[in-house]
Amino acid sequence: MPGLVPGIHVFYTGRLSQDVDGRDKPGHDAQGVIPMSYDLIVIGTGPGGYVAAIRAAQLGLKTAVVEKRKTHGGTCLNIGCIPSKALLHASHMFHDAQHFADMGIGVSAPTLDLKKMLEFKQEGVDGNTKGVEFLLKKNKIDAFIGTARIAAPGQVEVTAEDGSNQVLETKNIVIATGSDVTRLPGIEIDEKVVVSSTGALDLETVPKRLVVIGAGVIGLELGSVWRRLGSEVTVVEYLDRILPGMDGEVAKNFQRILGKQGFAFKLGAKVTKVERTGNGATLTVEPAAGGTPETIEADVVLVAVGRVPYTQGLGLDHVGVQLDNRGRIQTDAHFSTNVTGIYAIGDVIAGPMLAHKAEDEGVAVAEILAGKAGHVNYDVIPSVVYTFPEVASVGKTEEELKAAGIAYNAGKFPFTANGRAKVNRTTDGFVKILADATTDKVLGVHIVGPEAGNLIHEAAIAMEFGASSEDMARTCHAHPTLAEAVKEAALAVEKRAIHM
């Protein structure tokens, strides 16, 4: 828009009309209302939203974003992926420093300055959120800070912090509002003693006893942070296993590794009550199938039982956008809702709640709106648990293949037999490759071990191109590297691993 500086927004006193060159210019209607007009408005600037906006701008669409936070990046950059990884990195360094003597490095015992560590975390967050702000400006995307409501198809009402309203007109709307933490009935989160993942990123002291409710990715990652810093960590999980949805053999092996690190697990158990007691809390826990309850004392309780789509206040009922029985926005294969001109991506629709899944959907929906063939391959979306060792997977698990009646061959190679892992003393875990028994096409890869989050992308690229296990096995890998374990696992599919 002429004269409009991205990131700085004013209220016009006239309606936008078009100049002879087709560009919008300020104008007045009879009522003196002046909605700004766009090709696309994206609600939410998390990984899905800001990526959708940038790709749309690259393709020539006049684009705006609306963000309720004062900083961009959504949950991921502000209170999720980025700050948690900063603390995982810092706490891992603190843990490693206690074992430098094993490598002949003499240092005094490390001391923890938690305040400084949290500042380190925040510096990383600030750098990333400012980076997104820069990218939006660079791509000439107008950014509006406020709460968005879809007043009608093609109209987005933005309410600023001071209560003032502005109406934006657009040809298309993409909802990318992400997700929120799941609450447990009867358990109040105060972000001091009973915390969500948000509060767990900002504890002022290291809790002596931390109880994590939920053995999913978030609970195990944040549990790892505070375990390394000195907490006694107990994980309570309703199911009889950790990491629901991941390969069963990987989850079982990983639980043993976490047990060696000091984690305690109560599986097949449910928390029925959390009572504040002085500076801590008492949890009542009983078997999921019913039975005698017990109590557990904690200084901090982390509730990490999943996330739910965030759609409150968007006016979806008002415009008739349909939700499914889990509160997710229903979309077709092109991310379109049942209302023409309204689309949705990321955590608010079906599929794994992963930042990179949302990013790929953001690119795809922008390309579709620009008349291109946007597409996401949901069979090749990697998932990573950023503990140490890491856990990573892409494609089908053994359980899924068995349930679908698909015959497969499995090749497995342990890091104990990998030269680089041996010399680095990081030998926990293995690589497992699952390939179609008839075609040898790779159907799934699962890794628990050092650098699993990086190693998994070799498998993802191979699967994207429809590779066989033999293709992976015949690809030359540098020595000595951890990636050689991937090659050996591929060889093991045909029972011809070399270093076993």
Side-chain angles (χ1 to χ4, degrees):
M1 183 178 307
L4 182 62
V5 179
I8 301 175
H9 301 96
V10 297
F11 288 89
Y12 282 85
T13 56
R15 178 172 56 88
L16 290 177
S17 60
Q18 288 199 326
D19 208 339
V20 291
D21 62 359
R23 298 175 67 193
D24 289 326
K25 66 178 184 178
H28 293 267
D29 61 14
Q31 292 78 32
V33 178
I34 29 87
M36 298 181 185
S37 184
Y38 295 92
D39 295 315
L40 171 64
I41 292 177
V42 182
I43 303 175
T45 59
Y50 82 75
V51 168
I54 289 172
R55 184 63 182 130
Q58 288 175 342
L59 292 168
L61 301 183
K62 184 178 178 182
T63 305
V65 295
V66 182
E67 173 55 54
K68 66 178 181 179
R69 285 189 176 89
K70 294 180 180 179
T71 55
H72 299 293
T75 294
C76 178
L77 270 64
N78 286 276
I79 54 171
C81 315
I82 293 300
S84 65
K85 301 315 166 283
L87 289 182
L88 280 161
H89 175 69
S91 62
H92 183 59
M93 293 298 99
F94 178 74
H95 175 268
D96 272 2
Q98 299 173 51
H99 301 279
F100 282 167
D102 296 343
M103 295 181 284
I105 303 172
V107 295
S108 58
T111 58
L112 175 63
D113 184 340
L114 183 56
K115 181 180 179 181
K116 183 68 175 177
M117 187 176 286
L118 295 178
E119 290 173 356
F120 165 81
K121 177 259 298 180
Q122 192 58 45
E123 287 172 6
V125 170
D126 293 343
N128 277 278
T129 57
K130 288 175 182 175
V132 173
E133 181 181 5
F134 166 78
L135 290 172
L136 294 175
K137 290 181 179 179
K138 175 187 175 184
N139 287 279
K140 298 180 173 58
I141 297 165
D142 293 341
F144 295 84
I145 301 301
T147 301
R149 175 180 174 272
I150 302 173
Q155 287 192 340
V156 176
E157 181 182 24
V158 182
T159 303
E161 190 176 29
D162 62 5
S164 57
N165 293 317
Q166 184 172 15
V167 175
L168 311 176
E169 287 190 348
T170 181
K171 296 175 183 175
N172 300 288
I173 298 168
V174 170
I175 301 169
T177 46
S179 59
D180 195 9
V181 297
T182 299
R183 268 72 176 177
L184 284 174
I187 298 177
E188 181 183 353
I189 295 175
D190 58 19
E191 301 296 12
K192 296 296 182 183
V193 173
V194 182
V195 301
S196 68
S197 55
T198 303
L201 294 168
D202 281 307
L203 299 179
E204 295 179 355
T205 59
V206 177
K208 182 178 185 302
R209 300 160 301 180
L210 171 67
V211 173
V212 180
I213 306 176
V217 175
I218 294 172
L220 297 182
E221 285 187 351
L222 292 174
S224 290
V225 168
W226 297 107
R227 177 70 196 102
R228 294 168 189 168
L229 300 180
S231 293
E232 299 171 5
V233 177
T234 300
V235 179
V236 181
E237 168 59 46
Y238 186 83
L239 300 177
D240 61 359
R241 53 163 292 175
I242 69 171
L243 295 179
M246 281 202 167
D247 185 89
E249 183 181 15
V250 167
K252 188 175 181 179
N253 187 275
F254 185 51
Q255 184 184 336
R256 286 198 297 267
I257 293 170
L258 291 178
K260 291 192 296 183
Q261 294 178 6
F263 276 72
F265 291 93
K266 291 186 178 296
L267 305 181
K270 60 183 178 182
V271 177
T272 59
K273 185 187 299 184
V274 176
E275 293 181 305
R276 288 289 302 270
T277 54
N279 294 324
T282 299
L283 295 85
T284 302
V285 180
E286 63 182 56
T292 305
E294 63 174 313
T295 58
I296 304 175
E297 301 297 325
D299 299 291
V300 172
V301 179
L302 167 60
V303 179
V305 293
R307 299 184 65 83
V308 293
Y310 189 88
T311 58
Q312 294 94 318
L314 288 174
L316 301 186
D317 288 343
H318 173 69
V319 294
V321 171
Q322 293 178 353
L323 306 180
D324 66 14
N325 58 3
R326 295 175 60 181
R328 301 174 300 192
I329 297 174
Q330 291 186 323
T331 57
D332 64 16
H334 295 97
F335 310 103
S336 177
T337 70
N338 62 299
V339 179
T340 301
I342 301 179
Y343 301 79
I345 60 171
D347 287 4
V348 292
I349 69 172
M353 290 183 170
L354 297 170
H356 43 284
K357 175 256 197 186
E359 288 185 15
D360 277 13
E361 290 176 340
V363 170
V365 73
E367 291 178 347
I368 289 169
L369 292 174
K372 297 183 177 294
H375 172 70
V376 176
N377 182 359
Y378 290 100
D379 290 329
V380 187
I381 296 180
S383 178
V384 183
V385 186
Y386 295 92
T387 49
F388 189 87
E390 293 179 341
V391 182
S393 67
V394 62
K396 301 298 185 183
T397 66
E398 287 202 62
E399 291 79 9
E400 289 172 331
L401 293 176
K402 289 175 182 176
I406 298 173
Y408 65 93
N409 294 321
K412 190 167 71 171
F413 189 82
F415 282 103
T416 52
N418 174 267
R420 184 64 181 274
K422 277 185 176 180
V423 75
N424 288 354
R425 297 188 182 180
T426 55
T427 55
D428 282 330
F430 58 86
V431 179
K432 180 165 67 172
I433 295 178
L434 309 174
D436 188 280
T438 302
T439 66
D440 194 38
K441 181 179 179 180
V442 177
L443 303 176
V445 179
H446 307 276
I447 307 174
V448 53
E451 297 293 330
N454 288 325
L455 296 176
I456 200 66
H457 294 98
E458 172 181 353
I461 292 172
M463 291 173 64
E464 190 66 42
F465 284 87
S468 65
S469 71
E470 183 176 358
D471 290 328
M472 297 180 70
R474 290 189 179 276
T475 301
C476 187
H477 287 62
H479 174 77
T481 61
L482 298 170
E484 289 177 287
V486 178
K487 176 177 180 174
E488 292 274 6
L491 287 166
V493 171
E494 294 187 356
K495 300 184 176 11
R496 57 192 183 98
I498 301 297
H499 292 92
M500 281 280 283

